[in-house]
């Protein structure tokens, strides 16, 4: 019975993958394909946040800084040093992993609230560095003319060409994070989330696994930042602010913490919604705030979180039901 369930699930994933890969055959609008590409890149960011927040229970409000580190590292490697795209992608991920390890090492003994403040401060520091290191980052003007992504000489200089690369990168990231969650590391991360004291008494080195979680998640954020900067061909310090970190944090929360498909749905919704109109884009944080309030009332665990639909039904019943005296 269990094997049949796994087989049906695998067939469902394959069917969804085939349908999604066929999208460019039906949608010819370059603008729509561009939005889909952005959804896939930010889905990788949301998956990395879910690994930290949803799986290990550590609140990180500075993830946009790691996206910026990956973007600037890849832009500098490719533009100034002539490093090809794929090595630059991997190196930017490793640089972000090292940065995440350093931040995790500093935060290894910090509790939930203090960890949040440290990540906020780290985001502010990174943005100031992006703005003030003029000779390296270009200051407020950023880095323009970043080379487009290319693989073995094949240029991914259009949205349609980049679509399949972004899809492959998302699939590999999803599979990698899923593998980590099901491994010994993932079980240790879950123990940190549920009860760190009990985890320590069980022989789990809490501090080491906290550092490891930050490093692994930062690697995936870094490759997403690299893909993003080579797609847009521009790195701006104003794209990696605290507001962006909060916006990115809300993606896995909306989809459901601890649920990987939920991260993809949440990030897609929050990327697509501001594209309704440019006027709406100015009020996207207000929209997201209202959406989160509604979500906390009817589906506290997110759209695809544990008992998410059931929580929504219970919330509606509670709203309209009368107390019996």
């Amino acid at each position: 019975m269990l094997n049949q369930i796994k087989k049906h699930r695998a067939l469902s994933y394959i069917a969804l993958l085939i349908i999604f890969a066929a999208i460019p055959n039906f949608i010819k609008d370059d603008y729509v394909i561009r939005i889909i590409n952005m959804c896939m890149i930010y889905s990788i960011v949301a998956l990395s946040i879910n690994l930290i927040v949803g799986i290990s229970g550590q609140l990180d409000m500075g993830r946009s800084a790691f996206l910026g580190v990956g973007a600037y590292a890849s832009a500098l490697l490719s533009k100034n040093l002539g490093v090809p795209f794929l090595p630059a992608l991997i190196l930017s991920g490793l640089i972000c992993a090292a940065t995440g390890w350093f931040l995790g090492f500093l935060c290894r003994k910090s509790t939930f609230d203090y960890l949040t403040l440290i990540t906020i401060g780290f985001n502010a520091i990174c943005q100031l560095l992006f703005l003030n290191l003029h000779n390296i980052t270009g200051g407020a003007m950023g880095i323009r003319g970043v080379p487009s992504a290319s693989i073995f000489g094949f240029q991914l200089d259009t949205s349609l060409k980049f679509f399949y690369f972004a899809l492959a990168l998302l699939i590999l990231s999803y599979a990698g994070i899923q593998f980590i969650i099901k491994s010994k590391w993932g079980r240790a991360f879950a123990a940190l989330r549920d009860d760190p004291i009990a985890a320590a008494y069980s022989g789990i080195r809490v501090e080491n696994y906290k550092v490891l979680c930050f490093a692994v998640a930062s690697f995936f954020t870094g490759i997403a930042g690299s893909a993003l900067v080579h797609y847009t061909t521009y790195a701006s310090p104003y794209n990696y602010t605290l507001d962006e970190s909060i916006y990115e944090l809300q993606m896995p929360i909306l989809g459901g913490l601890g649920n990987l498909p939920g991260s993809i749905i949440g990030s897609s919704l929050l990327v697509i919604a501001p594209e309704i109109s440019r006027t709406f884009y100015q009020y996207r944080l207000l929209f997201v705030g209202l959406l989160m309030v509604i979500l906390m009332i009817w589906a506290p665990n997110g759209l695809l979180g544990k008992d998410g639909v059931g929580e929504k039904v219970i919330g509606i019943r509670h709203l309209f039901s009368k107390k019996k005296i």
Side-chain angles (χ1 to χ4, degrees):
M1 184 66 180
L2 184 60
N3 291 332
Q4 290 181 350
I5 294 174
K6 290 182 178 180
K7 184 178 180 180
H8 291 159
R9 184 178 298 175
L11 291 174
S12 299
Y13 285 149
I14 293 172
L16 286 173
L17 178 60
I18 293 173
I19 293 172
F20 197 79
I23 285 178
N25 295 326
F26 303 100
I27 300 176
K28 303 298 182 180
D29 192 335
D30 186 74
Y31 176 70
V32 176
I33 298 296
R34 185 178 182 84
I35 293 174
I36 295 174
N37 290 342
M38 298 299 288
C39 288
M40 290 190 284
I41 293 173
Y42 276 97
S43 291
I44 300 173
V45 179
L47 288 170
S48 68
I49 295 173
N50 212 341
L51 183 61
I52 295 178
V53 182
I55 305 300
S56 67
Q58 313 297 317
L59 184 57
D60 181 3
M61 295 186 67
R63 195 60 7 198
S64 180
F66 290 94
L67 191 68
V69 170
Y72 273 98
S74 190
L76 292 171
L77 286 170
S78 60
K79 185 177 181 181
N80 295 356
L81 301 179
V83 178
F85 169 63
L86 285 181
L89 179 81
I90 297 172
L91 286 173
S92 61
L94 293 175
I95 291 171
C96 277
T99 307
W101 181 90
F102 176 73
L103 181 64
F105 182 78
L106 295 178
C107 303
R108 67 191 188 282
K109 295 184 179 180
S110 301
T111 56
F112 191 83
D113 298 335
Y114 294 102
L115 176 62
T116 305
L117 294 175
I118 291 172
T119 55
I120 292 174
F122 178 75
N123 200 146
I125 290 171
C126 286
Q127 190 190 10
L128 289 174
L129 290 175
F130 296 154
L131 277 169
N132 293 293
L133 295 177
H134 300 279
N135 295 332
I136 300 175
T137 63
M141 298 299 293
I143 301 177
R144 300 177 182 272
V146 178
S148 299
S150 64
I151 301 176
F152 304 114
F154 181 75
Q155 293 291 327
L156 306 176
D157 52 358
T158 65
S159 295
L160 181 60
K161 293 178 181 178
F162 194 85
F163 173 88
Y164 293 103
F165 169 76
L167 179 60
L169 190 64
L170 174 59
I171 292 171
L172 291 174
S173 300
Y174 185 98
I177 292 176
Q178 181 73 15
F179 177 79
I180 291 170
I181 291 174
K182 292 183 178 296
S183 68
K184 176 185 175 181
W185 291 1
R187 291 190 292 272
F189 294 158
L192 298 184
R193 176 196 62 201
D194 296 336
D195 194 333
I197 297 176
Y201 276 106
S202 300
I204 296 173
R205 297 182 177 181
V206 174
E207 296 176 0
N208 292 352
Y209 276 102
K210 186 182 292 187
V211 175
L212 179 63
C213 184
F214 265 88
V216 172
S218 297
F219 173 81
F220 289 101
T221 309
I223 62 174
S226 175
L228 181 63
V229 77
H230 285 280
Y231 181 51
T232 59
T233 68
Y234 175 57
S236 170
Y238 300 106
N239 291 336
Y240 312 111
T241 62
L242 179 59
D243 286 346
E244 290 297 320
S245 290
I246 296 173
Y247 191 64
E248 291 158 7
L249 176 62
Q250 290 169 329
M251 293 175 179
I253 294 176
L254 175 62
L257 290 175
N259 186 284
L260 297 188
S263 298
I264 297 174
I265 291 177
S267 58
S268 298
L269 288 174
L270 294 186
V271 169
I272 293 171
E275 298 297 331
I276 296 173
S277 71
R278 290 291 92 186
T279 303
F280 182 82
Y281 185 86
Q282 300 176 8
Y283 302 99
R284 60 175 182 154
L285 292 179
L286 174 63
F287 166 76
V288 172
L290 292 174
L291 185 63
M292 296 305 294
V293 170
I294 296 171
L295 186 70
M296 291 301 102
I297 294 174
W298 282 295
N301 295 317
L303 297 176
L304 294 185
K306 184 179 179 182
D307 299 327
V309 176
E311 289 290 342
K312 182 178 179 181
V313 175
I314 292 171
I316 294 173
R317 288 177 180 175
H318 176 72
L319 186 64
F320 292 100
S321 64
K322 295 181 180 179
K323 291 184 178 181
K324 295 182 180 180
I325 301 175

